[in-house]
Amino acid sequence: MNEKDLEFPYSKIKASDGNDTLMSFNMGSPGVEQKISILGYDKTLDIPFFAKFSEKPRAKKLTKNEIRIYRMLDGTGLTPKLLQAVDTDDYVYLKAEFIKGSRPKSRKMTDEVLQLCLPLSKYHLTDKNVDENGLKMSLSHGDFCPWNVLVSEGSIRLIDWELAADRTLGYDLFTYICQVAILFEPEKQLLLAIDDNMRFVKEYFYSFGITDYKPYLKAFAMQKWEYEVGKGNTRLSEKYKELANIL
């Protein structure tokens, strides 16, 4: 096929990453957050890589945020290694280490997944360590779910950090529990899903010297409610609204 006949901006991607790469492209789901995902092989570096190319304003913002997180957490092993970042007025291009791994065998919360939540409490994107209600805050992944967790070479790694932000403690832990319940037990009340995982909830908050987790659970429910309302996702927003009202 002639390059000019392609229905996506291949020339811009090529300009970002040179000529010595082999790439496959996924156009992504239509919408304000649509971005092109790329799985490629860099012949110069002799390594595979994963990349994102964003042109839409919302998608550009998310990719910029992910680049920021990769730079902040460089060397921690929590994120893939950032290989290249290009930020222009027209587009944002992120190129990162390709992590070869598998999804967790169990969708349920485990001790290994819990331990992945804890290190993030050491990091902050802002100087704000508590919210307006005095609840402790730290960096959170934002979409901490089984589909963003990879088991690679005996360790667990997190991918897709574009929603990362400072939030109240427990946000990622509660996200994992609730999103799994919503997907696989859609009729189940979220509070029951939390109760089913109470051992992990208590262990998480005890590690920070917090005995009452409920204010953090309510803050999480309110944040998720507002987020899903903003996306126009009525079903999910109602689930989180119900959880917030119970608390």
Side-chain angles (χ1 to χ4, degrees):
M1 178 180 286
N2 193 299
E3 184 177 322
K4 66 181 178 61
D5 295 326
L6 293 172
E7 297 181 357
F8 65 99
Y10 174 70
S11 59
K12 293 180 181 179
I13 297 174
K14 185 177 177 181
S16 297
D17 212 336
N19 298 312
D20 205 16
T21 57
L22 180 66
M23 299 182 179
S24 60
F25 304 92
N26 184 315
M27 297 300 102
S29 302
V32 296
E33 296 182 1
Q34 183 179 13
K35 62 188 74 67
I36 297 174
S37 298
I38 301 164
L39 190 60
Y41 191 85
D42 188 311
K43 295 180 181 178
T44 302
L45 298 176
D46 194 26
I47 56 171
F49 65 88
F50 177 78
K52 292 181 179 180
F53 178 87
S54 305
E55 287 186 298
K56 296 183 177 181
R58 172 65 178 163
K60 286 167 60 178
K61 183 178 180 180
L62 291 172
T63 304
K64 285 181 182 181
N65 188 57
E66 190 162 14
I67 290 170
R68 180 186 181 192
I69 296 298
Y70 281 19
R71 285 172 171 160
M72 185 179 79
L73 297 180
D74 182 41
T76 64
L78 293 170
T79 67
K81 181 178 178 59
L82 181 65
L83 300 175
Q84 186 178 357
V86 179
D87 185 354
T88 74
D89 292 337
D90 295 330
Y91 64 87
V92 178
Y93 178 75
L94 175 157
K95 179 180 180 181
E97 166 194 15
F98 171 73
I99 297 176
K100 184 178 181 180
S102 59
R103 304 298 182 197
K105 293 181 179 179
S106 173
R107 298 187 296 263
K108 295 181 179 180
M109 175 61 65
T110 64
D111 289 308
E112 290 77 16
V113 173
L114 174 65
Q115 292 304 313
L116 196 57
C117 293
L118 295 173
L120 294 183
S121 63
K122 302 176 184 178
Y123 303 96
H124 294 81
L125 285 172
T126 68
D127 295 330
K128 190 176 180 181
N129 295 327
V130 296
D131 71 358
E132 59 275 8
N133 297 312
L135 301 181
K136 294 180 180 179
M137 301 179 67
S138 74
L139 177 67
S140 73
H141 177 276
D143 194 16
F144 193 96
C145 301
W147 43 92
N148 285 327
V149 174
L150 287 177
V151 179
S152 175
E153 298 180 351
S155 63
I156 299 180
R157 305 283 296 277
L158 276 170
I159 59 172
D160 201 2
W161 287 77
E162 59 187 27
L163 294 179
D166 284 354
R167 300 182 179 92
T168 49
L169 291 181
Y171 187 95
D172 286 338
L173 175 67
F174 293 138
T175 294
Y176 195 98
I177 294 170
C178 290
Q179 291 295 97
V180 167
I182 287 170
L183 185 60
F184 298 105
E185 299 180 276
E187 302 306 318
K188 192 170 192 174
Q189 270 194 343
L190 293 184
L191 188 59
L192 293 179
I194 297 295
D195 288 342
D196 289 344
N197 290 274
M198 190 52 62
R199 177 176 77 83
F200 300 106
V201 173
K202 289 184 176 180
E203 185 175 337
Y204 175 89
F205 282 99
Y206 283 170
S207 69
F208 301 105
I210 298 170
T211 56
D212 185 7
Y213 69 89
K214 289 184 179 178
Y216 289 88
L217 179 56
K218 184 163 187 174
F220 158 78
M222 293 296 293
Q223 290 174 76
K224 289 292 286 185
W225 177 17
E226 293 172 359
Y227 175 73
E228 297 299 345
V229 167
K231 291 182 67 176
N233 195 330
T234 303
R235 185 178 72 88
L236 288 186
S237 63
E238 287 301 316
K239 295 281 285 188
Y240 286 113
K241 182 180 180 181
E242 178 187 39
L243 177 59
N245 288 340
I246 291 173
L247 297 167

Short mmCIF file of all heavy atoms in Angstrom, two decimals, residues 68 72 120-140 165-169 216 219 223 226:
data_model
loop_
_atom_site.label_atom_id
_atom_site.label_comp_id
_atom_site.label_asym_id
_atom_site.label_seq_id
_atom_site.Cartn_x
_atom_site.Cartn_y
_atom_site.Cartn_z
N ARG A 68 5.18 11.32 32.29
CA ARG A 68 5.60 11.93 33.56
C ARG A 68 5.78 10.87 34.64
O ARG A 68 6.76 10.89 35.40
CB ARG A 68 4.56 12.96 33.99
CG ARG A 68 4.85 13.68 35.29
CD ARG A 68 3.66 14.55 35.68
NE ARG A 68 3.90 15.28 36.90
CZ ARG A 68 2.96 15.93 37.58
NH1 ARG A 68 1.72 15.94 37.13
NH2 ARG A 68 3.26 16.57 38.71
N MET A 72 9.18 9.71 36.68
CA MET A 72 9.24 9.82 38.13
C MET A 72 9.59 8.49 38.78
O MET A 72 10.34 8.44 39.77
CB MET A 72 7.90 10.33 38.68
CG MET A 72 7.94 10.59 40.18
SD MET A 72 6.37 11.23 40.82
CE MET A 72 5.44 9.71 40.91
N LEU A 120 3.49 2.43 46.25
CA LEU A 120 3.06 3.70 45.67
C LEU A 120 2.85 4.77 46.72
O LEU A 120 2.85 5.97 46.42
CB LEU A 120 1.77 3.51 44.86
CG LEU A 120 1.89 2.65 43.60
CD1 LEU A 120 0.56 2.61 42.86
CD2 LEU A 120 2.98 3.18 42.69
N SER A 121 2.65 4.34 47.99
CA SER A 121 2.42 5.31 49.06
C SER A 121 3.64 6.20 49.31
O SER A 121 3.53 7.24 49.96
CB SER A 121 2.06 4.58 50.35
OG SER A 121 3.13 3.75 50.79
N LYS A 122 4.79 5.80 48.79
CA LYS A 122 6.02 6.59 48.98
C LYS A 122 6.10 7.78 48.04
O LYS A 122 6.95 8.66 48.21
CB LYS A 122 7.25 5.70 48.74
CG LYS A 122 7.33 4.47 49.63
CD LYS A 122 8.52 3.63 49.24
CE LYS A 122 8.59 2.33 50.04
NZ LYS A 122 9.74 1.48 49.60
N TYR A 123 5.23 7.84 47.02
CA TYR A 123 5.39 8.83 45.96
C TYR A 123 4.20 9.79 45.91
O TYR A 123 3.07 9.43 46.23
CB TYR A 123 5.55 8.13 44.61
CG TYR A 123 6.70 7.16 44.59
CD1 TYR A 123 6.51 5.80 44.82
CD2 TYR A 123 8.00 7.61 44.36
CE1 TYR A 123 7.57 4.91 44.82
CE2 TYR A 123 9.06 6.72 44.36
CZ TYR A 123 8.84 5.38 44.59
OH TYR A 123 9.90 4.50 44.60
N HIS A 124 4.49 11.02 45.50
CA HIS A 124 3.47 12.05 45.33
C HIS A 124 3.78 12.87 44.08
O HIS A 124 4.95 13.15 43.79
CB HIS A 124 3.42 12.99 46.54
CG HIS A 124 2.98 12.34 47.81
ND1 HIS A 124 3.84 11.59 48.60
CD2 HIS A 124 1.77 12.30 48.44
CE1 HIS A 124 3.17 11.15 49.65
NE2 HIS A 124 1.93 11.55 49.58
N LEU A 125 2.73 13.22 43.37
CA LEU A 125 2.90 14.10 42.21
C LEU A 125 2.85 15.58 42.62
O LEU A 125 3.34 16.44 41.91
CB LEU A 125 1.80 13.83 41.17
CG LEU A 125 1.96 12.54 40.35
CD1 LEU A 125 0.71 12.31 39.51
CD2 LEU A 125 3.18 12.63 39.45
N THR A 126 2.23 15.84 43.76
CA THR A 126 2.10 17.22 44.25
C THR A 126 2.57 17.27 45.70
O THR A 126 2.98 16.26 46.28
CB THR A 126 0.62 17.68 44.18
OG1 THR A 126 -0.14 16.93 45.15
CG2 THR A 126 0.04 17.45 42.79
N ASP A 127 2.49 18.46 46.28
CA ASP A 127 2.87 18.64 47.68
C ASP A 127 1.71 18.33 48.63
O ASP A 127 1.84 18.45 49.84
CB ASP A 127 3.36 20.07 47.93
CG ASP A 127 4.64 20.38 47.18
OD1 ASP A 127 5.42 19.43 46.96
OD2 ASP A 127 4.85 21.54 46.79
N LYS A 128 0.57 17.96 48.06
CA LYS A 128 -0.63 17.72 48.85
C LYS A 128 -0.61 16.29 49.41
O LYS A 128 -0.80 15.33 48.68
CB LYS A 128 -1.88 17.93 47.99
CG LYS A 128 -3.18 17.93 48.78
CD LYS A 128 -4.35 18.26 47.86
CE LYS A 128 -5.67 18.26 48.63
NZ LYS A 128 -6.82 18.55 47.73
N ASN A 129 -0.37 16.17 50.71
CA ASN A 129 -0.28 14.85 51.35
C ASN A 129 -1.58 14.41 52.01
O ASN A 129 -1.73 13.25 52.37
CB ASN A 129 0.84 14.84 52.38
CG ASN A 129 2.21 15.02 51.75
OD1 ASN A 129 2.43 14.57 50.63
ND2 ASN A 129 3.11 15.68 52.44
N VAL A 130 -2.51 15.37 52.22
CA VAL A 130 -3.83 15.05 52.77
C VAL A 130 -4.88 15.80 51.98
O VAL A 130 -4.60 16.85 51.39
CB VAL A 130 -3.94 15.41 54.27
CG1 VAL A 130 -2.99 14.57 55.11
CG2 VAL A 130 -3.70 16.88 54.50
N ASP A 131 -6.12 15.26 51.97
CA ASP A 131 -7.19 15.94 51.26
C ASP A 131 -7.92 16.91 52.19
O ASP A 131 -7.49 17.13 53.35
CB ASP A 131 -8.15 14.94 50.62
CG ASP A 131 -9.02 14.21 51.64
OD1 ASP A 131 -8.86 14.43 52.86
OD2 ASP A 131 -9.86 13.40 51.22
N GLU A 132 -9.02 17.50 51.72
CA GLU A 132 -9.73 18.51 52.50
C GLU A 132 -10.34 17.94 53.77
O GLU A 132 -10.68 18.70 54.70
CB GLU A 132 -10.83 19.15 51.64
CG GLU A 132 -11.88 18.18 51.11
CD GLU A 132 -11.45 17.50 49.81
OE1 GLU A 132 -10.28 17.68 49.40
OE2 GLU A 132 -12.29 16.81 49.20
N ASN A 133 -10.46 16.61 53.85
CA ASN A 133 -11.00 15.96 55.05
C ASN A 133 -9.91 15.38 55.95
O ASN A 133 -10.21 14.68 56.92
CB ASN A 133 -11.97 14.85 54.65
CG ASN A 133 -13.18 15.39 53.91
OD1 ASN A 133 -13.80 16.36 54.34
ND2 ASN A 133 -13.51 14.78 52.78
N GLY A 134 -8.67 15.68 55.61
CA GLY A 134 -7.56 15.19 56.42
C GLY A 134 -7.16 13.76 56.14
O GLY A 134 -6.36 13.17 56.89
N LEU A 135 -7.67 13.18 55.06
CA LEU A 135 -7.31 11.81 54.70
C LEU A 135 -5.97 11.80 53.97
O LEU A 135 -5.71 12.66 53.13
CB LEU A 135 -8.39 11.19 53.82
CG LEU A 135 -9.79 11.10 54.41
CD1 LEU A 135 -10.75 10.44 53.41
CD2 LEU A 135 -9.79 10.33 55.72
N LYS A 136 -5.15 10.81 54.28
CA LYS A 136 -3.82 10.73 53.67
C LYS A 136 -3.92 10.42 52.18
O LYS A 136 -4.81 9.68 51.75
CB LYS A 136 -2.99 9.64 54.36
CG LYS A 136 -2.66 9.95 55.81
CD LYS A 136 -1.82 8.83 56.43
CE LYS A 136 -1.48 9.13 57.89
NZ LYS A 136 -0.68 8.05 58.51
N MET A 137 -3.00 11.00 51.41
CA MET A 137 -2.99 10.82 49.97
C MET A 137 -1.62 10.33 49.50
O MET A 137 -0.61 10.55 50.17
CB MET A 137 -3.33 12.14 49.26
CG MET A 137 -4.67 12.72 49.60
SD MET A 137 -4.97 14.29 48.76
CE MET A 137 -5.09 13.73 47.05
N SER A 138 -1.62 9.69 48.35
CA SER A 138 -0.36 9.29 47.72
C SER A 138 -0.63 9.03 46.25
O SER A 138 -1.77 9.11 45.79
CB SER A 138 0.21 8.03 48.38
OG SER A 138 -0.52 6.88 47.99
N LEU A 139 0.42 8.71 45.52
CA LEU A 139 0.26 8.36 44.12
C LEU A 139 -0.57 7.09 44.00
O LEU A 139 -0.40 6.14 44.77
CB LEU A 139 1.63 8.14 43.48
CG LEU A 139 1.64 7.68 42.02
CD1 LEU A 139 1.12 8.78 41.11
CD2 LEU A 139 3.05 7.27 41.60
N SER A 140 -1.48 7.06 43.04
CA SER A 140 -2.23 5.85 42.74
C SER A 140 -2.18 5.60 41.24
O SER A 140 -2.07 6.54 40.45
CB SER A 140 -3.69 5.96 43.20
OG SER A 140 -4.43 6.82 42.36
N ALA A 165 -2.51 9.47 39.43
CA ALA A 165 -2.66 10.78 40.07
C ALA A 165 -2.57 10.59 41.58
O ALA A 165 -2.61 9.46 42.08
CB ALA A 165 -4.01 11.41 39.71
N ASP A 166 -2.43 11.69 42.31
CA ASP A 166 -2.49 11.63 43.77
C ASP A 166 -3.94 11.48 44.20
O ASP A 166 -4.80 12.28 43.82
CB ASP A 166 -1.90 12.90 44.38
CG ASP A 166 -0.39 12.92 44.34
OD1 ASP A 166 0.21 11.90 43.94
OD2 ASP A 166 0.21 13.95 44.69
N ARG A 167 -4.20 10.45 45.00
CA ARG A 167 -5.55 10.19 45.50
C ARG A 167 -5.45 9.69 46.94
O ARG A 167 -4.36 9.42 47.44
CB ARG A 167 -6.26 9.15 44.62
CG ARG A 167 -6.42 9.56 43.16
CD ARG A 167 -7.18 8.49 42.38
NE ARG A 167 -7.40 8.85 40.98
CZ ARG A 167 -6.59 8.53 39.98
NH1 ARG A 167 -5.47 7.84 40.23
NH2 ARG A 167 -6.87 8.89 38.74
N THR A 168 -6.59 9.54 47.59
CA THR A 168 -6.60 9.04 48.96
C THR A 168 -6.09 7.60 49.01
O THR A 168 -6.27 6.83 48.06
CB THR A 168 -8.02 9.11 49.56
OG1 THR A 168 -8.95 8.53 48.64
CG2 THR A 168 -8.41 10.55 49.84
N LEU A 169 -5.46 7.25 50.12
CA LEU A 169 -4.94 5.90 50.29
C LEU A 169 -6.04 4.86 50.06
O LEU A 169 -7.19 5.08 50.43
CB LEU A 169 -4.36 5.72 51.69
CG LEU A 169 -3.07 6.47 52.03
CD1 LEU A 169 -2.65 6.15 53.46
CD2 LEU A 169 -1.95 6.13 51.06
N TYR A 216 -11.92 6.33 53.97
CA TYR A 216 -11.16 6.17 52.73
C TYR A 216 -12.00 5.45 51.67
O TYR A 216 -11.91 5.78 50.48
CB TYR A 216 -9.86 5.41 53.00
CG TYR A 216 -8.87 6.23 53.79
CD1 TYR A 216 -8.89 6.23 55.18
CD2 TYR A 216 -7.93 7.02 53.14
CE1 TYR A 216 -7.98 7.01 55.91
CE2 TYR A 216 -7.02 7.79 53.85
CZ TYR A 216 -7.06 7.79 55.24
OH TYR A 216 -6.16 8.55 55.94
N ALA A 219 -14.43 8.04 50.36
CA ALA A 219 -13.75 8.98 49.46
C ALA A 219 -13.51 8.34 48.10
O ALA A 219 -13.69 8.97 47.06
CB ALA A 219 -12.42 9.43 50.09
N GLN A 223 -15.06 9.54 44.46
CA GLN A 223 -14.17 9.84 43.33
C GLN A 223 -14.55 9.00 42.10
O GLN A 223 -14.59 9.51 40.97
CB GLN A 223 -12.72 9.57 43.72
CG GLN A 223 -12.16 10.55 44.74
CD GLN A 223 -10.77 10.15 45.21
OE1 GLN A 223 -9.77 10.33 44.49
NE2 GLN A 223 -10.68 9.59 46.40
N GLU A 226 -17.88 10.30 40.57
CA GLU A 226 -17.69 11.50 39.75
C GLU A 226 -17.00 11.15 38.43
O GLU A 226 -17.34 11.70 37.37
CB GLU A 226 -16.86 12.53 40.52
CG GLU A 226 -17.59 13.10 41.74
CD GLU A 226 -16.70 13.97 42.59
OE1 GLU A 226 -15.49 14.11 42.24
OE2 GLU A 226 -17.18 14.50 43.62
#
